[in-house]
Amino acid sequence: MSNHSLDRSRQLIEQYLSVRQLTTDICQSLEKEDLSVQPIADVSPPKWHLAHTTWFFEELLLVPYLQGFKKFNQQYSLLFNSYYKSAGDHWLQQDRGCLSRPTVNEILDYRGYIDNLVIQLLQQNNPEPEIQSILEIGLNHEQQHQELLYMDIKYILATNPTYPAYSNLPLAKSHGMKQSWKSFAEGLYHVGHEGEAFAYDNESPRHKHYTYPFKISDETVTNGEFLSFIDDKGYKSPNNWLSQGWDWVNSNSICKPLYWKQINGEWFEYTLHGLQPLDLDAPVVHVSYFEADAFATWKGARLPTEYEFEIYLQQTELKPGEKQATSQVAIYHPNNSSQKVGQVWCWTKSHYSGYPGYQTFKGVLEEYNGKFMCNQFVLKGGCVNTPKDHYRHTYRNFYQPHQRWMFSGIRLCKDH
Ligand SMILES: [Fe+2]
């Protein structure tokens, strides 16, 4: 191997190990009992994430590219394939919490086994472009699951009425900011990903989009503002709500964001730092599309389109984690409504679908994004728990309109 390909191999191995390590680190402060719980279908047991991210490298990288590869366990594909129909049968998502076996220790052994073989593959091959490309997708996939782990761990711990904290680090209180609006002129703008750096298939191709004049809030909606909506009977007034939203509110008795609790007349919010008094200046988080839209209607505003949002984001270089990194204290909960990115994923009013000329990844990965382009909305901007080097302004997160266990918030927009 030439020096150049040795360096490349070393670099890939280092990247691989650092991403894989972070996943196990996220679970480090949990107890073993926390790792197998599945309170609702959307929330997977943390140990399933540990195994599924490993299965991804096994199935997509080692099976096709490592000669003589033997699976750790033939049955794991059934258990830990998530939804890739072309990779064979898979266990139902809502039944992941029924699996007491394999144990956490067996899953950690599985991770170790696959890690050693991936390293062997990267050392052996002057890695072919195809191997490098699948490795890159596998690492980005694992980073997506790191954020999912924070979401799922939060839901699991919040389901417990003793409200155990994930982190004992104190959460800094946020400071009030005056709302201001940023105006953008009518015109043709470019949105979407271009260039050699990694991006998911759904971010391409970069293309032109004609936008009418708009102004967008420079701050995300705060808990205090959302409390005014509640106090003004926002959840009780049908004229604020989309028809499906009104049905959702009533059939599920929704009257507050997911993790808000009212105790003896005082508002609290469950965070990964434990149950905290509601910080009125912090961004509102864990709201559904229905709630975001109803709040915007009540405010005489609207949600931005994903195009407007991306045009707005193009004005900043900031990435999630950069602000937090300077404080040297891990913050797992949004506390700055004036930060443009990396606090809460903001709902847009854009339906999630392919850009003009969209093409899916090839092979098994054809199923990665394209098949979810139905009945979901795009969210932009990243959140406190989005891995720092996983974020791009072109990133298109997507969820169904009733979902709210992700770190979802609101940025308002208006026509000029
Ligand atoms: Fe996955």
Side-chain angles (χ1 to χ4, degrees):
M1 241 192 267
S2 71
N3 277 349
H4 174 74
S5 49
L6 255 180
D7 285 350
R8 185 65 188 140
S9 270
R10 263 192 221 127
Q11 198 186 10
L12 293 173
I13 291 168
E14 240 169 67
Q15 273 173 9
Y16 176 80
L17 290 175
S18 116
V19 171
R20 296 281 287 166
Q21 182 64 44
L22 183 58
T23 311
T24 47
D25 286 351
I26 292 170
C27 298
Q28 203 61 50
S29 59
L30 296 173
E31 300 295 339
K32 277 217 172 107
E33 288 79 356
D34 299 325
L35 296 170
S36 296
V37 180
Q38 182 174 34
I40 54 168
D42 280 341
V43 170
S44 296
K47 79 172 190 185
W48 183 87
H49 290 285
L50 290 168
H52 162 70
T53 47
T54 305
W55 168 84
F56 195 95
F57 286 108
E58 176 179 66
E59 189 66 34
L60 281 105
L61 200 57
L62 298 180
V63 168
Y65 295 106
L66 185 67
Q67 276 199 343
F69 171 68
K70 282 196 182 56
K71 288 195 170 181
F72 181 79
N73 184 317
Q74 291 294 338
Q75 292 169 313
Y76 279 14
S77 188
L78 170 71
L79 299 181
F80 302 126
N81 173 5
S82 50
Y83 53 68
Y84 298 90
K85 309 295 177 194
S86 56
D89 290 342
H90 63 82
W91 190 248
L92 286 178
Q93 181 177 359
Q94 64 266 29
D95 292 338
R96 288 171 187 166
C98 303
L99 302 170
S100 61
R101 308 296 172 92
T103 63
V104 172
N105 285 344
E106 283 164 337
I107 287 173
L108 291 176
D109 287 347
Y110 176 43
R111 284 183 74 87
Y113 176 83
I114 296 298
D115 285 349
N116 285 335
L117 293 176
V118 169
I119 291 166
Q120 196 180 310
L121 176 75
L122 296 176
Q123 281 167 340
Q124 257 180 29
N125 280 279
N126 167 19
E128 298 162 28
E130 211 166 328
I131 289 179
Q132 293 198 39
S133 148
I134 290 172
L135 185 83
E136 195 170 43
I137 295 174
L139 293 177
N140 277 276
H141 169 256
E142 182 131 356
Q143 288 181 310
Q144 276 185 302
H145 278 272
Q146 289 168 355
E147 184 171 329
L148 281 164
L149 270 167
Y150 286 118
M151 291 157 51
D152 291 358
I153 289 168
K154 184 170 183 176
Y155 198 101
I156 288 166
L157 296 178
T159 301
N160 188 319
T162 64
Y163 303 124
Y166 170 77
S167 164
N168 290 320
L169 292 168
L171 179 62
K173 205 176 161 344
S174 53
H175 301 287
M177 289 284 166
K178 214 172 150 277
Q179 193 184 27
S180 58
W181 296 83
K182 274 234 150 62
S183 294
F184 291 84
E186 175 174 359
L188 204 53
Y189 291 88
H190 285 86
V191 290
H193 176 80
E194 74 178 350
E196 293 304 304
F198 177 81
Y200 288 113
D201 55 5
N202 62 10
E203 296 166 66
S204 292
R206 190 166 174 82
H207 62 285
K208 294 189 277 276
H209 187 84
Y210 196 87
T211 302
Y212 289 91
F214 67 97
K215 57 182 178 182
I216 188 164
S217 174
D218 221 11
E219 289 76 35
T220 54
V221 171
T222 63
N223 287 328
E225 291 174 288
F226 204 84
L227 191 55
S228 307
F229 170 75
I230 295 179
D231 290 344
D232 194 35
K233 301 194 171 25
Y235 280 97
K236 307 275 179 213
S237 311
N239 51 329
N240 291 329
W241 294 85
L242 294 165
S243 171
Q244 278 187 35
W246 184 243
D247 291 346
W248 172 78
V249 159
N250 286 294
S251 46
N252 297 284
S253 305
I254 306 286
C255 57
K256 55 186 174 51
L258 180 59
Y259 293 117
W260 287 24
K261 315 275 165 197
Q262 205 172 20
I263 304 171
N264 299 327
E266 298 289 315
W267 283 104
F268 291 81
E269 181 174 24
Y270 179 76
T271 74
L272 284 168
H273 303 260
L275 192 66
Q276 304 276 335
L278 187 68
D279 183 345
L280 296 181
D281 293 325
V284 69
V285 63
H286 298 293
V287 289
S288 67
Y289 179 83
F290 296 136
E291 288 165 298
D293 183 86
F295 179 87
T297 302
W298 173 76
K299 267 286 195 189
R302 63 172 172 82
L303 299 177
T305 66
E306 64 169 313
Y307 300 103
E308 290 165 337
F309 211 115
E310 192 167 319
I311 293 162
Y312 167 73
L313 289 174
Q314 285 167 4
Q315 319 288 307
T316 179
E317 292 297 314
L318 194 69
K319 291 182 172 183
E322 288 190 353
K323 201 130 189 191
Q324 291 94 308
T326 57
S327 72
Q328 295 190 330
V329 175
I331 293 172
Y332 302 103
H333 193 78
N335 67 349
N336 185 348
S337 65
S338 65
Q339 203 170 302
K340 288 186 174 57
V341 297
Q343 286 279 305
V344 287
W345 286 103
C346 293
W347 284 106
T348 75
K349 60 183 282 187
S350 299
H351 287 97
Y352 177 51
S353 81
Y355 283 161
Y358 168 60
Q359 291 197 327
T360 61
F361 288 141
K362 298 292 171 253
V364 172
L365 293 172
E366 184 182 347
E367 297 185 52
Y368 203 104
N369 281 309
K371 73 178 187 180
F372 298 110
M373 290 177 173
C374 182
N375 297 338
Q376 315 224 35
F377 287 86
V378 174
L379 296 96
K380 301 286 283 185
C383 79
V384 273
N385 295 311
T386 307
K388 186 174 160 186
D389 50 359
H390 183 63
Y391 174 81
R392 296 168 294 282
H393 291 333
T394 56
Y395 205 105
R396 304 173 79 203
N397 206 349
F398 54 92
Y399 282 95
Q400 293 167 24
H402 69 280
Q403 291 176 316
R404 55 183 193 159
W405 95 108
M406 60 291 185
F407 290 77
S408 50
I410 313 169
R411 188 182 291 282
L412 295 176
C413 192
K414 284 183 176 179
D415 298 325
H416 250 319

